[in-house]
Amino acid sequence: VGVSVATACVVVDDASVAPFLDRVEALGGPLLLLPNHPSSIDSALAPHGWLTGALGFQVDIAVAALRLVCSGALERRPGLQVILANLGGVLPFVTERLDQYWHRVPAGTRDLPVPPVEALRRFYFETASGDARAIRLAADVIGIDRLVFGSDYPSFDMARAVHNVRGSGLSEDAGEQVLRGNAQPLI
């Protein structure tokens, strides 16, 4: 059983959230980071409200995840299991850019001890709303072992979600790992 935190309303690495993160870690269940209204970039997307779900939430998830790893919140909680909804938003698509900028910063001023793509492997990436090609990219960039199945039902059709995992070009065994196997340690 996961716990949902509205990323636009809560700064997940704020000191006031620390007791909550500590409690989730102590309980041993996963924390699901799932965006909710309003998106932190709603004003930039106005007046096109449909872009909140299509893009705004994807940015919010990425920001929340990066704040958790860069602040050390996850490092201080090695047992905390975090699932990022929607394939981690935009993260799989910008890992090379994140790593390049991380390498450019002098080592003494980095707030992340390992390259971003390595830090992102602390998360599980849930496949809901993921185009089959995006699922394949996430598997290639983050690792097949970090993907867990999700459908975002009832917003999206369950059959579509399964079809996207199976149509991602992963081997049958890897597909089953995403559909079932990777979630087993989280429950």
Side-chain angles (χ1 to χ4, degrees):
V1 173
V3 178
S4 176
V5 175
T7 58
C9 301
V10 176
V11 179
V12 295
D13 63 322
D14 187 81
S16 66
V17 180
F20 172 75
L21 296 176
D22 293 340
R23 183 69 177 139
V24 174
E25 180 185 31
L27 290 171
L31 170 68
L32 173 64
L33 284 180
L34 178 66
N36 205 338
H37 291 277
S39 166
S40 62
I41 64 170
D42 268 357
S43 62
L45 300 175
H48 311 289
W50 65 274
L51 287 173
T52 293
L55 176 65
F57 294 161
Q58 310 323 309
V59 171
D60 290 346
I61 279 181
V63 169
L66 290 170
R67 288 190 66 125
L68 281 173
V69 295
C70 289
S71 69
L74 291 183
E75 198 172 313
R76 289 188 297 278
R77 295 167 186 86
L80 182 63
Q81 302 171 94
V82 180
I83 303 169
L84 302 177
N86 303 337
L87 283 176
V90 299
L91 286 174
F93 306 96
V94 298
T95 54
E96 193 268 345
R97 187 169 183 86
L98 290 169
D99 278 354
Q100 287 298 314
Y101 271 84
W102 182 86
H103 283 293
R104 290 181 189 178
V105 174
T109 59
R110 287 189 193 131
D111 57 1
L112 186 60
V114 297
V117 75
E118 185 179 330
L120 293 174
R121 285 193 43 77
R122 258 308 297 280
F123 298 106
Y124 287 90
F125 291 71
E126 178 256 358
T127 62
S129 307
D131 178 289
R133 296 164 295 182
I135 293 169
R136 179 55 189 239
L137 174 69
D140 289 345
V141 171
I142 304 298
I144 192 71
D145 62 315
R146 306 314 293 175
L147 299 184
V148 295
F149 176 74
S151 67
D152 209 0
Y153 179 83
S155 296
F156 292 92
D157 182 73
M158 181 73 75
R160 174 188 162 275
V162 172
H163 175 76
N164 284 344
V165 171
R166 291 206 167 120
S168 65
L170 299 173
S171 71
E172 189 173 331
D173 287 345
E176 289 304 311
Q177 186 178 344
V178 172
L179 291 170
R180 292 182 184 85
N182 291 341
Q184 290 298 324
L186 300 175
I187 50 176

